[in-house]
Amino acid sequence: MEKPTVAHMLENAVSAVPDSVFLHEGPKNVTFRELDNVTDQLATAFIKDGLRKGDKLGIIALNQLEWLYTYFAAMKIGVGVVALNVRYRAAEFEYMLNQSEVKAIVSLNELGDFSYSDFFEGFKNKIPSVEHYIFMGEGFNGSRSFVKMLDEPAANQLLNEAKARVRPTDTALVIYTSGTTGKPKGAMISHNSVIASAKAQMDHFGIMEEDVTIGSMPLNHVGGISCCVTVVLLSHSSVVLVPAFDPDEVLEAIHHHKATIFGGVPTMYRMLLNNDKRKVYRLDSLRLCFAGGSNVEPELCELITGALPNARLSNLYGLSETSGACVLSKSTDDIEKVQASIGVAIGDFDIKVVSEEKKTLFNGEIGELAVKGACVAKGYDNMIDETKESFGHKGWLYTGDMAYMDDEGYIYYKGRKKEMIVQGGYNVYPVEVENILVEHPEVSMAAGFGVPDDFLGEVGRFYIVLAPGARLSEEELKNYCAGVMADYKIPRQFVFVDDVPLTPAGKIQKSLLKEQYFASLQ
């Protein structure tokens, strides 16, 4: 029997619990049956617009119903969703939309003081593959209205023909993860891989129909679409959509909906539990809290367990390349184990630790973490060499993360082999930022790395060498960054220097810069 697709999982939910609420958004409640009907209509509209299996559709939106309507409609007809961050600007949009050859964009028309419709109207010539612009509000002349597309009557014959062509191995999602070469890489997550990761997480945590999960992790990230929404879909439970993480909104959502599950990165927990309003709300309904990334450090463990005594605390480790979770704490782990280890492999996934030569290391030896199993993504979209490097070894994904394993299979995370900075829960790669910085006419060289920060965990510190005769202030450089990159990537620290150390080959010697910085703190 062929493995199921995301659309099959929705059909199963509609068959089992048609009138159970799947999605909560403010005062709106959407049942599984209602979602199925709405997405049939939207899928029909997509087909009539010429979208076919294998095409790509970009989504630019917050955690909202329209995002999930678009996603499930696309899943039904085999269109891959390119999940884009609302914070992206010109540099990211131009690269990602062209690199993944997006054919249609579904977008907010504006957010804050930024108009996506105005932006894309003037940007169309730089993204020639995009044929359709669909806005959740007023767009430009020639664009489509998302609301009007929802009025399209479902065409059963067209839909059934399209649905029959979708396979579990087809690309469901493309989620971009920045590369150490400076080129973001689009992880191709299949229907099969996202379902495999979510099912393993659901089974491991024992998630039930009665559970209510807070959906504040972004849907353009596996933390939102896989670890939250797909788990909820498979378990026939419900999710409360929070547009973007806001401590007050999350606290209100937990209280009002008597939420049982919350997941986030450590920064989110700090913002939530250090909030002055926390004691106004009842949080005792939470039975499970999981933290993504490295193991939860002792101070934060104490804060979480003290504030949420009814909740079991778990670590969650996963990547875009593993389609979501692949390692979780055990339910029997005490708080000391949660502080020390990120957990064990879940489902039937295999984990090993390897040397630089990709040889399996003995337990206790630190090396690179490798993952194998149905959760592993297909590779990187339109990047053959990068796919071979990370995915091309007998089904093993080499994560670039350093760890060791003990005799019981517990994994102990030791840091990143790559240069990634985790700034407030967002992944930032220095080379990508450096490449954008040196495009400024007054910047000659740029070199950055992560430094500790009490609140955000880590922030980017970038050394700037200006062009001869240039006079550029830190404020001017930050304003430039704000116009061309997502705000979470903007360096928090700029250091203007006359020169930077170079290797004999002429490359910037970042290791020496880091040594000099940390030595200065002693």
Side-chain angles (χ1 to χ4, degrees):
M1 179 178 169
E2 191 173 38
K3 294 180 180 178
T5 66
V6 172
H8 288 142
M9 293 295 94
L10 178 57
E11 287 176 10
N12 290 347
V14 172
S15 176
V17 287
D19 298 317
S20 291
V21 175
F22 178 24
L23 308 171
H24 301 274
E25 184 196 64
K28 300 177 187 174
N29 296 320
V30 177
T31 66
F32 289 98
R33 191 205 309 269
E34 288 168 341
L35 177 71
D36 190 41
N37 291 338
V38 169
T39 52
D40 271 356
Q41 292 174 270
L42 186 56
T44 298
F46 286 155
I47 293 170
K48 290 184 176 180
D49 266 2
L51 292 178
R52 298 292 183 268
K53 174 181 170 175
D55 286 338
K56 305 275 182 52
L57 181 155
I59 304 179
I60 307 165
L62 299 169
N63 288 8
Q64 56 194 99
L65 292 175
E66 291 87 349
W67 205 108
L68 292 172
Y69 290 165
T70 303
Y71 173 70
F72 283 104
M75 294 305 96
K76 288 182 173 182
I77 61 175
V79 171
V81 165
V82 180
L84 300 165
N85 195 312
V86 294
R87 296 180 173 186
Y88 288 161
R89 294 298 180 259
E92 292 98 349
F93 284 135
E94 182 172 4
Y95 173 79
M96 294 176 188
L97 294 171
N98 285 324
Q99 202 273 335
S100 57
E101 299 175 320
V102 164
K103 189 172 180 179
I105 293 172
V106 173
S107 175
L108 295 166
N109 63 314
E110 61 183 14
L111 182 64
D113 59 359
F114 186 80
S115 170
Y116 294 95
S117 57
D118 288 349
F119 170 79
F120 281 114
E121 185 175 21
F123 202 68
K124 288 186 294 183
N125 64 326
K126 294 191 175 183
I127 42 175
S129 68
V130 180
E131 298 177 10
H132 307 285
Y133 293 87
I134 303 158
F135 291 102
M136 303 169 196
E138 188 175 346
F140 55 79
N141 188 32
S143 65
R144 298 287 307 277
S145 163
F146 185 87
V147 173
K148 290 182 179 178
M149 292 182 77
L150 292 179
D151 292 334
E152 183 73 46
N156 291 332
Q157 184 175 345
L158 278 178
L159 276 173
N160 291 336
E161 290 172 356
K163 289 176 180 178
R165 289 190 284 268
V166 184
R167 296 289 177 267
T169 53
D170 292 341
T171 298
L173 285 156
V174 175
I175 293 181
Y176 274 88
T177 174
S178 296
T180 54
T181 61
K183 289 183 177 180
K185 297 176 291 186
M188 294 186 293
I189 298 170
S190 69
H191 290 255
N192 182 49
S193 67
V194 72
I195 291 170
S197 173
K199 185 178 187 306
Q201 179 183 329
M202 177 188 73
D203 291 342
H204 186 89
F205 281 150
I207 296 176
M208 306 170 289
E209 285 185 20
E210 297 79 17
D211 278 313
V212 179
T213 299
I214 296 297
S216 57
M217 288 290 287
L219 293 174
N220 65 283
H221 185 278
V222 289
I225 194 62
S226 174
C227 302
C228 177
V229 169
T230 309
V231 170
V232 170
L233 172 68
L234 298 184
S235 60
H236 304 166
S237 53
S238 65
V239 59
V240 182
L241 296 175
V242 179
F245 181 80
D246 176 273
D248 291 345
E249 287 191 44
V250 171
L251 289 168
E252 167 62 29
I254 295 170
H255 174 90
H256 180 74
H257 292 278
K258 295 181 173 59
T260 59
I261 300 172
F262 174 76
V265 297
T267 302
M268 290 180 176
Y269 280 98
R270 286 193 173 90
M271 293 174 70
L272 201 64
L273 300 180
N274 288 324
N275 190 300
D276 292 337
K277 300 178 182 178
R278 171 170 64 86
K279 294 182 180 180
V280 174
Y281 299 100
R282 291 199 63 171
L283 309 179
D284 54 356
S285 59
L286 288 172
R287 71 171 187 89
L288 171 66
C289 289
F290 58 87
S294 60
N295 48 290
V296 182
E297 50 92 15
E299 178 208 354
L300 185 55
C301 265
E302 186 176 336
L303 178 63
I304 295 171
T305 55
L308 306 171
N310 294 339
R312 172 163 62 90
L313 179 60
S314 174
N315 290 304
L316 181 152
Y317 172 86
L319 310 165
S320 299
E321 291 88 342
T322 61
S323 312
C326 60
V327 172
L328 295 168
S329 304
K330 288 185 177 180
S331 60
T332 53
D333 288 345
D334 57 27
I335 203 65
E336 287 75 21
K337 180 66 79 172
V338 173
Q339 291 172 7
S341 167
I342 58 174
V344 298
I346 60 174
D348 57 1
F349 310 150
D350 292 322
I351 301 281
K352 66 180 179 179
V353 179
V354 300
S355 66
E356 286 283 349
E357 296 76 30
K358 303 293 188 279
K359 301 293 185 183
T360 303
L361 296 174
F362 291 109
N363 290 342
E365 292 186 301
I366 297 173
E368 184 178 1
L369 204 59
V371 182
K372 186 177 184 180
C375 65
V376 174
K378 297 165 62 175
Y380 296 121
D381 196 17
N382 292 323
M383 299 184 88
I384 296 172
D385 292 340
E386 289 83 354
T387 296
K388 285 181 179 178
E389 180 181 352
S390 295
F391 296 86
H393 302 273
K394 298 181 180 179
W396 287 97
L397 165 73
Y398 295 99
T399 65
D401 287 326
M402 306 300 284
Y404 72 89
M405 189 182 297
D406 69 14
D407 293 339
E408 296 180 289
Y410 281 92
I411 299 154
Y412 297 79
Y413 180 79
K414 302 304 290 183
R416 293 173 297 280
K417 181 180 177 182
K418 305 172 184 177
E419 294 182 335
M420 185 177 75
I421 302 166
V422 180
Q423 184 164 288
Y426 289 95
N427 297 344
V428 181
Y429 283 83
V431 176
E432 182 187 359
V433 177
E434 289 161 3
N435 288 348
I436 296 174
L437 286 171
V438 296
E439 289 180 3
H440 192 290
E442 295 183 73
V443 175
S444 175
M445 301 174 75
F449 52 87
V451 299
D453 180 82
D454 288 341
F455 186 68
L456 293 175
E458 202 174 25
V459 296
R461 180 180 177 88
F462 283 72
Y463 291 77
I464 305 295
V465 179
L466 296 178
R471 296 181 180 277
L472 185 65
S473 70
E474 180 174 349
E475 183 179 0
E476 289 171 332
L477 192 52
K478 284 187 175 179
N479 288 338
Y480 163 75
C481 290
V484 295
M485 69 176 76
D487 59 359
Y488 66 83
K489 296 180 184 178
I490 298 172
R492 297 301 177 99
Q493 299 179 16
F494 282 113
V495 182
F496 292 88
V497 293
D498 294 329
D499 54 39
V500 290
L502 303 175
T503 66
K507 294 183 179 180
I508 298 175
Q509 202 168 0
K510 281 199 216 177
S511 59
L512 185 54
L513 276 175
K514 290 178 76 171
E515 286 176 19
Q516 292 171 350
Y517 168 74
F518 286 106
S520 71
L521 300 180
Q522 297 176 357

